[in-house]
Amino acid sequence: MKRRRQGEDLHIEFEPLGLGCGSPLGSSLLEAAREAGVGLAALCGGQGRCGRCRVQVISGAVSSPSTAEKELLSEKELALGFRLACQAKAHDDIRVRVPLESLTADQRMQIEGLELPVPVEPAVVTYDLRLPPPTLDDLRSDGSRLGAQMAKEHGLTDLYFDFELLRRLPDLLRGNEWSGSVALRGREVIGFLPKGQKSLGLAIDLGTTKIAGYLVDLSTGQLLTAKGILNPQIRYGEDVMSRISYAMKEGANQLQEAVVGALNELAQALCGEGGLEVDEILDVVVVGNTAMHHLFLGLPVAQLGLAPYVPAVSEALDIKARDVGLSIAPGGYLHLLPNIAGFVGADHVAMLLATGIHESEQATLGLDIGTNTEMTLAVGGRLLSCSCASGPAFEGAHIKDGMRAAGGAIERLRIVDSHVEYQTIGDLLPVGLCGSGVLDAVAELLRLGIVDEKGAMRDHPRVRRTDRDKEFVLVERGESGLGREIVITRRDIGEIQLAKGAVRAGINILLSEAGLTDSDLEEVIIAGAFGNYIRIESAVGIGMLPPLPLERFKQVGNAAGMGAKIALISKEMRAQAAQIARRVEYIELTNYPSFAEEFTRSMHLGPIR
Amino acid sequence: MKRRRQGEDLHIEFEPLGLGCGSPLGSSLLEAAREAGVGLAALCGGQGRCGRCRVQVISGAVSSPSTAEKELLSEKELALGFRLACQAKAHDDIRVRVPLESLTADQRMQIEGLELPVPVEPAVVTYDLRLPPPTLDDLRSDGSRLGAQMAKEHGLTDLYFDFELLRRLPDLLRGNEWSGSVALRGREVIGFLPKGQKSLGLAIDLGTTKIAGYLVDLSTGQLLTAKGILNPQIRYGEDVMSRISYAMKEGANQLQEAVVGALNELAQALCGEGGLEVDEILDVVVVGNTAMHHLFLGLPVAQLGLAPYVPAVSEALDIKARDVGLSIAPGGYLHLLPNIAGFVGADHVAMLLATGIHESEQATLGLDIGTNTEMTLAVGGRLLSCSCASGPAFEGAHIKDGMRAAGGAIERLRIVDSHVEYQTIGDLLPVGLCGSGVLDAVAELLRLGIVDEKGAMRDHPRVRRTDRDKEFVLVERGESGLGREIVITRRDIGEIQLAKGAVRAGINILLSEAGLTDSDLEEVIIAGAFGNYIRIESAVGIGMLPPLPLERFKQVGNAAGMGAKIALISKEMRAQAAQIARRVEYIELTNYPSFAEEFTRSMHLGPIR
C-alpha cells in the first residue's frame, strides 16, 4: 500500500449513488460526502453522538475506530467495515457503500430500488427489424410487410397494430429507411422505434400528497432518473375524503386533469434529465390508493365516499395511456395494479409485492403509515388486511407547529438534560416539525415523564401554560427560523394519540383475527414516506408499534414505488400482484365489533396495553 | 271469395317494404303503388310497353293478363304470378311482392338486403343480468361483482372492462337498480344496457360519392332503418386521386373530420327514425375503397398516391369507435374489413362476401363499376382481382349534360323511330343524364348506326354541329327542365369509350390470366350504384361487358353495403372476408405488359373485339 502524504488529494467514491470527489488526506468521510453531494444524515452535527451517518468501507485504508464508534457500533459491524462517517478519516482512495437509512430524505428517494431484484421480463418488448421496401413486384401494405418480416425474422405471427401507431407507421418506416425496432405488447404492435432509441417505462407512485416517478430502461430494467413532485389535487382538498367530496359536488374532471397534467410534466422532466423524449415511453405503471386510482382514471368516486365504500373496479387494468390523456408513445399502455378495497388500494398491493410479505413464511406485519394507514398481516399463508383512519397528524397537519417534510422541518429530535437536540431537513434553521419530529417529541416527553400515558403535561421549566392549553418549548425564539418559539402542545399530543390509537387498534385486530399476540410477530415492515423517516424507538415508545426487539423492524422506504417499478419490468410480478389482491381477506374496521373498544384502549401512550 | 263492388276500398299490400294502401276496386297496381308510396319504375309512363314495373302477386284476385303482359312476360313468369303493375287491376285485397329491380333508385337502396342469408352471430352479444347490491358484508367492487355474477349466471369468466364503460358503470348499475343487459365483445365488457334497450349495430358503405348506412338490431340481425347521404369530402375533390392530392398538400385532418362528422349525423338520423339513441350502437362495420378507408381512419395516404401505391394496412382492423371520433356507445367497436391493394379496397371484399363469388364453383366475374372499377374473376378456386381507372363518366361527370343520379336525371332512355323515350329519377322534368342514361344513349345511337364503332357521329335530323363538336339532341327545349335542349356530344361518347375501354381491358386481362375467353364466363355479377341501374343490354351493346346471354348477368345492387351488414351480424363472415383478402391474386394493370394494347383495342364501340 502506497503511503500518502498530507495535503495530497485522495478519491472517495460513494456507492450505490456513483458520486465521488477528491479530498485531502485525513478528511473525514462526512466531509468528503458533503463535497461529493451525498446527503448523509447527521443529527449531532458530526460529533459522533447520534450514530446516523453509518457507512460501510468497501476498500481503502481509514483511521482506527474512535471511542464513539466503539460505543455506537457493534463488534460485528466494525468487522464488516461499518463506520461512522464523521469519525472515520481517509488515509487512501476509498470506496464507501452508503446504506439507505444513512441518507437524508431527498436523496433516499432518488436511489431507492436502484437494484431491482426481479428478472427483466417487461410487458412491452422490442425486436430489431429491417424490411424490404415496396416495389412494383411487391405491393404488400406496410402492415402486412412488417407482419411478414416479424414472422420470418422472429417467428412471431398473428400480430395486430395499435391504431394510433398505424397512423404514423408509413412515415416512420419511410423516414427510417425501413429499419428500426418493433415494440410488441403481447401480439399487438404498439411502436416502431428508430435505431438507437430506447424503449422506456415509467413507474408512478401516486400519493395523496406526493407523486414519485421513476423512468426505467425497459430492455435492461435499469432506473434512469427519478423525481418527486407534489400532487396538485391538494388544492381540491388535503386528504382523500375532502377530494371525494369536492368531486361529488363539482365533478371529478378538474381533479383528473390536474393529476394527468402533473404526470405529463413529471414524464417530461424525467425524460429531459436523461436527454430522452416522452414518446419513447411505451409502458406506464401507476399505483395509488383507491381514491387516487379512481380520480386519476376519471372513474366515479361517489360510491367510494358513501358507505359501504366500494370501488368501481378492483381488478388490474390495462388501458391505452392516451385514453386517460397521458402523453407518451402514441400506442403506449398504462397498467394499474389491482385495488383491494375502498381504502386499501393498489399502492398497498405494490408494497406487499416489493417487500415479498405475501410470500413470507413467518408472521409478518406490513404497514404503510399515512393519513390512512393500510396494513397486512401475513401468517400461515393468509393475508389479513385493514385500513385505519390515522389522520393527518403524521403529515404535520393539525399540529400547532407542524409542517410537511420540507426544508427547515425538524425530522429528528431528542431531549438531553433539558436540552433539545434536533436535525432539520436541509440543515436549515428550524421552522416547524414534520411527522417524524412530532413523533420523536412525544416519545421523548413521555420517556422523561413530562407527559403521562393519558397525554397530560406536568410542570417543567420548558412547559408553559397558554390560553386554554399547555405547551413544551422545543426551540427558543433565538434559534428558530419562525420568529417565535417552536412548541408542542397538549392538543398536539392528543392528535398523536388519535393517530397512534387508530394504527395500534388495527394491528391488534389483525393479530386477534389470526389468534396471535405481539410477540408472535417475527417481522414488522414499515413502508411509506413517513414510516421511512420515523425513529422506531419513538414509535414503539409511545405504543404505536408493538414492543418488539428493534431488529424485527425494517423500514423499506417507498415500497409502493418499488412495487410499481418491478411491476413495470416484470409480467410475472403483475401476475403476483393480481394473486395478492385475490388472496387478501379484507377486514372493514368500521364494521368490526370490538373496534371502538380497541381504539379507546390504544389511545393510551406507552408500551403497555 | 267475397265479391267486391265498384268504389269499395280494397287493401293492397306491398312486400317486402311493408307499405300498403286502400284503393278503389279496379285500380291498377301501379296506381295503388303510387298511393302507397312505393316507387315502381315505369319508363313508358304506364302504357305497358317498357316492362319495368314487373311485380309478383302473392295473394288476391287481379284482372286477366293483357296483350302487353303476354308479350313482355314469359308463360312461366305469368304462371308464377308475375304481372305488370300498370296492367293488372285489383279485384280483391292483394298482397304483392316487388322485385328489387322494379323499384326506383331511392327506394331500392332502402330495402336492399332486408333478408340477410347468414345466421346471426354478431361480435357483440348481450346477456341479461341481475346483481346483488353491495352491503357492509359484501364489499366487492362493481367490476368484481358484475364479473362474478356473469360467471354464476352465464358461465363466462375472465372478463375485463372497456375503460370508458368503467367510468359509467357505477352510475349505470345504481341507476338501473343493478339489473340490465351486459354487452360483451369476446371477453371484454363494452356496455351495460338498461332493460328493454336494444343492442344496435351500424353498417356503413363509405363510397367516394355516396355513403349508405344501415341500422341493424344486433340480437335479431333485423334491418331497422337505412339511409343514404352524400360524402362531404366531395368538396375536397370529386375523385379518390384529387382527395389524396388535397390531403398530401393540406393534411388529411379536414377530410377525416368531414367524413366522421357525416357518419355521426347519419347515425343520429338512422336512430332518430326508429326512436333510438346513438349510444345504443355497440358495433360498427365500415367498408370503402382503400383511399376512403385510409382517409376515414386518418391513416396517411401519401404512399397511396404515389407508385407503387401501397396501403398503410390491408388487414382487417378492430378499433374503439371513439378512437376515430365516432359517437356511439362509449365502449363501442369499429370493424373494418380488409383491403386487397391500393385500388381494391374493403368494399370489394364486402361485395365478394355478399355475393359469395369467392365460393363459386363456376367461372364467375364480379364487378363494381364506378370511377374506379374493381373486379374479381373466380375460377377453379382462384380469385384474380384488378382495378381499372374507368373515370367519372359513369357518375355523370365530364359529360356535357351529365349529372349525378339525382331527381330529374334521365336514368333510362330508348330511341324509337327518332323519338326519344326516357324516364327520370323522381318522374321530374329532365335536367340531365346520369350514368345509366348516358350508357343507354350511346348504346341506342350505336344500335341505330348514328354513331359508329370509333365513336364518330353521322348526320341525322337530331344531330347538329356545334363550335368544335357534334351533338345529338335527346330532349327538346320545350320538354327540358334545363331551359335548353339536353344533348349527348361526340366528346361525351369519347369519355364513354375511355371508361368502357378500361373496364373491358380489365376483364380481358383477367380472362387471359385464367386462360379463359368470354364464353367461359358462367356468371357476371354487377354491383354498385351505377351497375345496379344500367341496362345490361346497353353495356353489352357498346362492348363494355362480354356478349353473353342476358340471364348470365346479375345486378345485385349495393353488395358492398350488404357485405358490411352481414359482417356486422356474423363473426364467421368476418373470418371469411379475411380469407378472401388473403386468397386474392392481385394484378396491377399499370404494370401489366399488354395493358396499353388491350385498352386501345377495347375502346372500340360494339360487341366485337
Side-chain angles (χ1 to χ4, degrees):
Chain A
M1 192 177 70
K2 198 178 71 165
R3 191 89 198 159
R4 301 279 189 166
R5 262 173 305 171
Q6 186 83 24
E8 188 183 346
D9 256 15
L10 309 174
H11 187 74
I12 321 287
E13 182 80 23
F14 294 89
E15 294 182 354
L17 297 89
L19 296 170
C21 67
S23 279
L25 185 70
S27 306
S28 78
L29 298 183
L30 183 62
E31 288 161 351
R34 283 178 181 153
E35 179 71 23
V38 176
L40 278 184
L43 181 56
C44 63
Q47 298 175 47
R49 286 199 311 181
C50 71
R52 289 267 289 152
C53 61
R54 216 171 57 111
V55 298
Q56 188 179 19
V57 176
I58 298 170
S59 70
V62 289
S63 56
S64 306
S66 68
T67 320
E69 288 178 280
K70 283 176 187 158
E71 204 168 295
L72 289 162
L73 298 170
S74 68
E75 272 184 34
K76 194 178 159 195
E77 284 179 309
L78 285 168
L80 288 168
F82 280 100
R83 302 296 299 268
L84 298 183
C86 65
Q87 302 292 303
K89 291 174 177 56
H91 290 174
D92 196 0
D93 290 349
I94 308 278
R95 270 176 57 225
V96 171
R97 194 185 67 80
V98 183
L100 206 62
E101 62 272 18
S102 301
L103 285 171
T104 53
D106 283 0
Q107 202 150 28
R108 211 182 294 184
M109 206 192 86
Q110 287 169 29
I111 65 140
E112 275 161 13
L114 246 182
E115 307 296 332
L116 297 171
V118 296
V120 178
E121 186 205 10
V124 176
V125 186
T126 54
Y127 297 87
D128 287 344
L129 202 70
R130 171 173 290 281
L131 295 97
T135 62
L136 275 172
D137 296 320
D138 176 4
L139 295 166
R140 290 173 300 172
S141 69
D142 292 358
S144 306
R145 184 176 307 275
L146 192 149
Q149 203 67 9
M150 285 293 278
K152 195 172 157 192
E153 289 195 16
H154 300 288
L156 294 161
T157 55
D158 296 322
L159 304 184
Y160 61 96
F161 289 86
D162 170 68
F163 175 61
E164 286 293 339
L165 173 66
L166 262 188
R167 287 180 159 174
R168 289 156 177 86
L169 190 63
D171 291 345
L172 281 169
L173 291 174
R174 287 163 184 79
N176 291 288
E177 287 166 344
W178 303 90
S179 163
S181 293
V182 175
L184 277 194
R185 186 181 177 286
R187 295 189 302 112
E188 183 177 3
V189 183
I190 66 163
F192 184 84
L193 313 180
K195 267 201 174 151
Q197 204 176 72
K198 280 197 166 68
S199 70
L200 302 178
L202 179 62
I204 299 279
D205 173 28
L206 179 54
T208 310
T209 307
K210 280 187 181 166
I211 303 175
Y214 308 85
L215 190 69
V216 174
D217 182 334
L218 281 183
S219 57
T220 62
Q222 201 199 338
L223 179 68
L224 302 174
T225 50
K227 202 177 173 67
I229 56 170
L230 281 182
N231 186 334
Q233 289 179 340
I234 283 173
R235 62 173 169 271
Y236 305 107
E238 289 265 327
D239 56 38
V240 160
M241 267 306 173
S242 54
R243 287 189 215 165
I244 290 178
S245 306
Y246 184 93
M248 285 170 69
K249 274 185 225 136
E250 310 287 335
N253 281 358
Q254 288 168 298
L255 286 107
Q256 207 253 340
E257 282 163 18
V259 72
V260 168
L263 292 190
N264 283 334
E265 281 171 29
L266 181 58
Q268 285 278 3
L270 287 167
C271 287
E273 281 179 25
L276 302 160
E277 299 289 338
V278 287
D279 62 5
E280 298 173 50
I281 301 175
L282 293 162
D283 204 7
V284 178
V285 169
V286 173
V287 304
N289 63 50
T290 309
M292 289 307 108
H293 171 282
H294 278 41
L295 288 171
F296 164 52
L297 295 181
L299 296 174
V301 289
Q303 82 293 338
L304 210 54
L306 299 168
Y309 313 107
V310 298
V313 66
S314 44
E315 285 78 8
L317 296 176
D318 285 296
I319 53 192
K320 300 275 176 183
R322 61 176 180 259
D323 275 349
V324 294
L326 286 185
S327 301
I328 59 164
Y333 263 85
L334 169 63
H335 179 82
L336 291 119
L337 293 186
N339 294 311
I340 291 172
F343 290 101
V344 184
D347 53 351
H348 192 65
V349 174
M351 182 276 237
L352 297 175
L353 187 67
T355 55
I357 291 176
H358 62 295
E359 289 178 328
S360 176
E361 290 181 6
Q362 51 189 16
T364 304
L365 178 70
L367 302 99
D368 198 332
I369 305 173
T371 305
N372 260 283
T373 296
E374 299 95 29
M375 59 183 87
T376 293
L377 174 64
V379 58
R382 291 175 75 188
L383 292 175
L384 296 162
S385 300
C386 71
S387 162
C388 43
S390 33
F394 294 146
E395 315 229 313
H398 296 196
I399 300 292
K400 185 175 178 193
D401 288 340
M403 65 180 289
R404 282 188 203 295
I410 295 175
E411 59 167 350
R412 275 282 176 287
L413 181 150
R414 63 177 175 181
I415 304 174
V416 185
D417 305 332
S418 279
H419 175 74
V420 181
E421 292 185 347
Y422 55 84
Q423 175 183 312
T424 62
I425 297 178
D427 272 331
L428 302 171
L429 266 187
V431 290
L433 295 150
C434 67
S436 57
V438 178
L439 197 68
D440 277 2
V442 177
E444 288 290 89
L445 293 177
L446 183 71
R447 181 176 64 85
L448 295 169
I450 301 165
V451 157
D452 71 12
E453 64 164 14
K454 290 183 176 166
M457 215 177 255
R458 76 161 165 82
D459 288 341
H460 183 276
R462 297 183 78 112
V463 169
R464 62 191 193 190
R465 199 170 289 273
T466 57
D467 198 9
R468 290 188 186 176
D469 207 355
K470 272 177 161 183
E471 61 190 26
F472 184 94
V473 177
L474 294 166
V475 181
E476 300 293 345
R477 186 198 306 224
E479 271 183 72
S480 158
L482 206 59
R484 60 165 175 80
E485 295 83 359
I486 297 172
V487 301
I488 184 159
T489 69
R490 168 69 190 90
R491 261 193 217 134
D492 295 344
I493 291 163
E495 292 288 333
I496 293 298
Q497 285 178 281
L498 287 171
K500 84 88 159 166
V503 173
R504 193 61 222 254
I507 296 173
N508 289 347
I509 287 169
L510 291 191
L511 286 172
S512 103
E513 273 290 306
L516 301 183
T517 59
D518 286 356
S519 57
D520 294 320
L521 282 174
E522 304 276 354
E523 194 170 26
V524 178
I525 293 177
I526 300 160
F530 171 70
N532 201 30
Y533 305 137
I534 61 172
R535 222 175 118 243
I536 295 297
E537 292 92 325
S538 297
V540 171
I542 66 165
M544 179 167 91
L545 297 179
L548 299 168
L550 289 186
E551 62 268 20
R552 293 201 198 171
F553 293 94
K554 203 166 141 192
Q555 286 165 286
V556 295
N558 185 1
M562 256 168 63
K565 265 182 290 179
I566 62 180
L568 179 64
I569 61 163
S570 164
K571 286 188 289 183
E572 164 59 23
M573 288 295 133
R574 296 187 187 185
Q576 278 196 24
Q579 276 178 353
I580 290 173
R582 272 196 296 271
R583 275 178 55 200
V584 160
E585 304 167 48
Y586 173 70
I587 296 164
E588 175 57 47
L589 292 188
T590 55
N591 200 27
Y592 196 82
S594 66
F595 177 71
E597 186 192 333
E598 279 292 349
F599 180 49
T600 311
R601 198 146 56 101
S602 298
M603 273 170 57
H604 278 62
L605 294 172
I608 307 136
R609 287 182 60 184
Chain B
M1 190 178 68
K2 196 179 72 166
R3 193 86 196 160
R4 302 280 188 164
R5 263 172 304 171
Q6 188 83 24
E8 188 182 349
D9 256 15
L10 307 175
H11 187 75
I12 319 287
E13 182 79 24
F14 294 89
E15 294 182 356
L17 297 87
L19 296 170
C21 66
S23 279
L25 185 71
S27 305
S28 79
L29 298 184
L30 183 62
E31 289 161 348
R34 283 179 181 151
E35 181 71 20
V38 176
L40 278 184
L43 182 57
C44 64
Q47 297 174 47
R49 287 199 310 181
C50 72
R52 288 267 287 151
C53 61
R54 212 172 59 111
V55 297
Q56 187 179 19
V57 175
I58 298 169
S59 71
V62 290
S63 56
S64 306
S66 69
T67 323
E69 288 179 280
K70 285 179 186 156
E71 205 168 292
L72 288 163
L73 298 169
S74 69
E75 273 184 33
K76 193 178 160 197
E77 285 180 309
L78 285 168
L80 287 170
F82 281 100
R83 301 295 299 269
L84 298 183
C86 64
Q87 303 292 305
K89 289 172 179 56
H91 289 175
D92 197 359
D93 290 348
I94 306 277
R95 270 176 57 225
V96 172
R97 197 186 66 80
V98 184
L100 207 62
E101 62 272 16
S102 300
L103 285 172
T104 53
D106 282 357
Q107 202 149 31
R108 210 182 292 183
M109 207 193 83
Q110 287 168 28
I111 66 138
E112 277 161 13
L114 245 183
E115 307 295 333
L116 299 171
V118 295
V120 178
E121 185 206 10
V124 176
V125 186
T126 53
Y127 298 86
D128 288 343
L129 202 70
R130 173 174 288 280
L131 295 97
T135 63
L136 274 174
D137 296 318
D138 176 4
L139 295 165
R140 290 173 299 171
S141 70
D142 292 358
S144 305
R145 185 175 307 275
L146 192 149
Q149 203 65 9
M150 286 293 279
K152 193 172 157 189
E153 288 194 17
H154 301 289
L156 295 161
T157 55
D158 294 323
L159 305 183
Y160 61 96
F161 289 86
D162 171 67
F163 174 61
E164 286 293 341
L165 173 64
L166 261 190
R167 288 181 161 176
R168 290 159 177 82
L169 189 64
D171 291 345
L172 282 170
L173 290 175
R174 286 165 184 79
N176 292 287
E177 289 167 344
W178 303 90
S179 161
S181 293
V182 175
L184 277 195
R185 186 180 177 287
R187 295 189 302 112
E188 184 177 3
V189 183
I190 67 163
F192 184 84
L193 313 180
K195 269 203 171 148
Q197 204 176 72
K198 280 196 165 69
S199 71
L200 302 178
L202 179 63
I204 299 279
D205 174 28
L206 179 54
T208 310
T209 307
K210 280 186 183 167
I211 303 175
Y214 308 86
L215 190 68
V216 173
D217 182 334
L218 281 183
S219 57
T220 62
Q222 200 199 341
L223 179 67
L224 301 175
T225 51
K227 199 173 175 70
I229 56 170
L230 282 182
N231 186 334
Q233 288 179 338
I234 284 172
R235 61 175 171 271
Y236 305 106
E238 291 264 327
D239 56 39
V240 160
M241 267 305 174
S242 54
R243 284 185 218 169
I244 291 178
S245 306
Y246 183 92
M248 286 170 70
K249 273 185 225 139
E250 311 285 335
N253 282 358
Q254 287 169 300
L255 287 104
Q256 207 252 341
E257 283 163 19
V259 74
V260 168
L263 292 190
N264 283 335
E265 282 172 30
L266 181 58
Q268 284 279 5
L270 287 167
C271 286
E273 281 178 25
L276 301 161
E277 300 290 337
V278 288
D279 61 6
E280 298 173 51
I281 302 175
L282 292 163
D283 204 8
V284 179
V285 170
V286 173
V287 304
N289 62 48
T290 309
M292 289 308 107
H293 171 282
H294 278 40
L295 288 172
F296 164 52
L297 295 181
L299 296 174
V301 290
Q303 82 293 339
L304 209 55
L306 300 167
Y309 313 106
V310 297
V313 65
S314 44
E315 285 79 7
L317 296 178
D318 285 296
I319 52 192
K320 299 274 175 181
R322 61 176 180 257
D323 275 351
V324 296
L326 286 185
S327 300
I328 60 165
Y333 263 86
L334 168 64
H335 179 83
L336 293 120
L337 292 185
N339 295 311
I340 292 171
F343 290 102
V344 183
D347 53 351
H348 192 64
V349 174
M351 180 275 235
L352 297 175
L353 187 68
T355 55
I357 291 175
H358 62 295
E359 288 180 326
S360 177
E361 289 180 7
Q362 50 188 16
T364 304
L365 178 69
L367 304 96
D368 197 332
I369 305 173
T371 307
N372 260 283
T373 297
E374 298 95 28
M375 58 182 86
T376 294
L377 174 64
V379 58
R382 291 176 74 188
L383 292 174
L384 297 161
S385 300
C386 70
S387 163
C388 43
S390 33
F394 294 147
E395 315 230 310
H398 296 197
I399 300 293
K400 186 177 176 188
D401 288 339
M403 65 181 287
R404 284 187 200 295
I410 296 175
E411 59 167 349
R412 275 283 177 284
L413 180 152
R414 62 179 178 184
I415 304 174
V416 185
D417 306 332
S418 280
H419 174 75
V420 181
E421 292 183 345
Y422 55 84
Q423 175 184 311
T424 63
I425 296 178
D427 271 332
L428 302 171
L429 265 187
V431 290
L433 295 150
C434 67
S436 58
V438 178
L439 196 70
D440 277 2
V442 177
E444 287 292 90
L445 293 177
L446 183 72
R447 179 177 65 85
L448 296 168
I450 301 167
V451 157
D452 72 12
E453 64 163 17
K454 289 183 178 168
M457 218 176 250
R458 75 160 168 80
D459 289 341
H460 181 276
R462 295 183 78 109
V463 168
R464 61 192 193 188
R465 200 170 288 273
T466 57
D467 198 10
R468 288 187 185 176
D469 207 355
K470 273 178 157 181
E471 60 189 29
F472 184 92
V473 176
L474 293 167
V475 180
E476 299 293 348
R477 185 197 307 227
E479 270 184 72
S480 159
L482 206 59
R484 62 166 175 77
E485 296 83 359
I486 296 172
V487 302
I488 184 162
T489 69
R490 168 68 189 91
R491 264 195 213 131
D492 295 342
I493 291 162
E495 290 288 334
I496 294 296
Q497 285 179 280
L498 286 171
K500 83 83 147 167
V503 173
R504 192 62 221 252
I507 296 174
N508 289 349
I509 287 169
L510 290 191
L511 287 171
S512 104
E513 273 291 306
L516 302 183
T517 60
D518 285 355
S519 57
D520 294 320
L521 282 175
E522 303 277 355
E523 194 170 28
V524 177
I525 293 176
I526 301 160
F530 171 71
N532 202 30
Y533 305 137
I534 60 172
R535 222 174 119 244
I536 294 296
E537 293 92 325
S538 297
V540 171
I542 66 165
M544 178 166 91
L545 297 178
L548 299 167
L550 288 186
E551 62 269 20
R552 293 203 197 170
F553 293 93
K554 202 166 142 192
Q555 286 163 286
V556 293
N558 185 2
M562 255 166 66
K565 264 181 293 179
I566 62 180
L568 179 64
I569 60 162
S570 164
K571 286 187 289 182
E572 164 60 23
M573 288 295 132
R574 296 187 187 185
Q576 278 197 25
Q579 277 178 352
I580 291 172
R582 274 196 293 271
R583 275 178 56 201
V584 160
E585 304 169 48
Y586 173 69
I587 296 163
E588 174 57 48
L589 292 187
T590 54
N591 199 25
Y592 197 82
S594 66
F595 176 71
E597 186 193 333
E598 277 294 349
F599 179 49
T600 312
R601 197 145 58 101
S602 298
M603 275 171 56
H604 277 64
L605 293 171
I608 307 134
R609 288 182 59 183

